[in-house]
Amino acid sequence: MTPKLQRLHDAIQKILGVAPVERLGEITVEVKAADYLEAARTLRDHPELRFEQLMDLCGVDYSAYGDRPREGAPRFAAVSHLLSQAHNWRLRLRTFAPDDDMPVLPSVIEVWPGVNWYEREAFDLFGIVFEGHPDLRRILTDYGFIGHPFRKDFPLSGHVEMRYDPEQNRVIYQPVTIDPREVTPRIVREQHYADTE
């Protein structure tokens, strides 16, 4: 770990009381959902940290993280990427929703107002509800869309399809008519593909 990252690591451990993780030259702090809003305020306001800018927030579905399922661990998380311009530090802040059936986390919109559309996107695509968000509604999918398409258990073909009906002169929605199939690529090679003369 570089001396700069070590200073950030030590400051976070001292101020937040949690042990950050360093991997690939980046620091990640994981906080409980109940402590999420207060940790966000501290990260922004404490003079030794001053993470005044939230660069990104995304939802993550950890139901099958890597090559194996995560048994007994929470499924949905909100991951924020923070920037301290004063100290030239970057930080990843992660919190897991305690309930997989109804993932709910507090909104950090009062701390970083720019998170507005990011939280809406995480709600739309993963179904994570951010309590306290002033306008939590779908942002990328249609209002009548069923489900949350970035969840790992969402079917690739979706639930409904839309098409233009010339008889009704309008777009209609109908159940998916595509049969799911597994596509295995076919490899075609010339007879002497690897031969060298």
Side-chain angles (χ1 to χ4, degrees), residues 101-122:
D101 295 327
M102 182 61 176
V104 178
L105 292 170
S107 174
V108 292
I109 199 164
E110 69 180 55
V111 181
W112 296 292
V115 78
N116 185 350
W117 283 18
Y118 298 131
E119 287 183 347
R120 284 181 60 190
E121 181 182 52

Side-chain angles (χ1 to χ4, degrees), residues 14-64:
K14 179 182 82 174
I15 295 164
L16 289 182
V18 296
V21 175
E22 186 271 334
R23 186 165 185 270
L24 301 173
E26 297 178 348
I27 299 282
T28 301
V29 176
E30 189 171 307
V31 296
K32 295 179 182 175
D35 303 329
Y36 181 48
L37 190 56
E38 187 56 38
R41 281 192 200 103
T42 302
L43 287 167
R44 181 195 64 187
D45 297 338
H46 197 283
E48 290 183 49
L49 300 174
R50 293 187 52 195
F51 286 97
E52 60 270 324
Q53 189 170 2
L54 182 135
M55 304 297 291
D56 185 30
L57 179 140
C58 61
V60 181
D61 180 353
Y62 283 98
S63 63

Side-chain angles (χ1 to χ4, degrees), residues 45-149:
D45 297 338
H46 197 283
E48 290 183 49
L49 300 174
R50 293 187 52 195
F51 286 97
E52 60 270 324
Q53 189 170 2
L54 182 135
M55 304 297 291
D56 185 30
L57 179 140
C58 61
V60 181
D61 180 353
Y62 283 98
S63 63
Y65 183 70
D67 59 352
R68 62 190 180 285
R70 289 172 47 105
E71 299 295 329
R75 178 176 176 184
F76 297 103
V79 179
S80 304
H81 297 248
L82 309 176
L83 172 66
S84 170
Q85 293 174 337
H87 299 294
N88 194 22
W89 283 339
R90 293 181 184 270
L91 176 72
R92 182 180 300 116
L93 175 64
R94 178 173 54 197
T95 186
F96 283 91
D99 184 6
D100 291 346
D101 295 327
M102 182 61 176
V104 178
L105 292 170
S107 174
V108 292
I109 199 164
E110 69 180 55
V111 181
W112 296 292
V115 78
N116 185 350
W117 283 18
Y118 298 131
E119 287 183 347
R120 284 181 60 190
E121 181 182 52
F123 163 71
D124 188 5
L125 301 178
F126 291 95
I128 301 170
V129 175
F130 292 92
E131 278 187 329
H133 192 286
D135 188 24
L136 195 63
R137 59 190 162 103
R138 292 193 181 269
I139 192 169
L140 295 172
T141 60
D142 191 25
Y143 292 123
F145 193 85
I146 299 168
H148 304 282

Side-chain angles (χ1 to χ4, degrees), residues 162-181:
M162 68 178 204
R163 66 175 178 83
Y164 179 76
D165 187 347
E167 294 174 5
Q168 298 181 35
N169 288 330
R170 66 182 184 95
V171 173
I172 62 167
Y173 293 88
Q174 64 188 34
V176 174
T177 58
I178 301 169
D179 292 327
R181 62 184 177 146

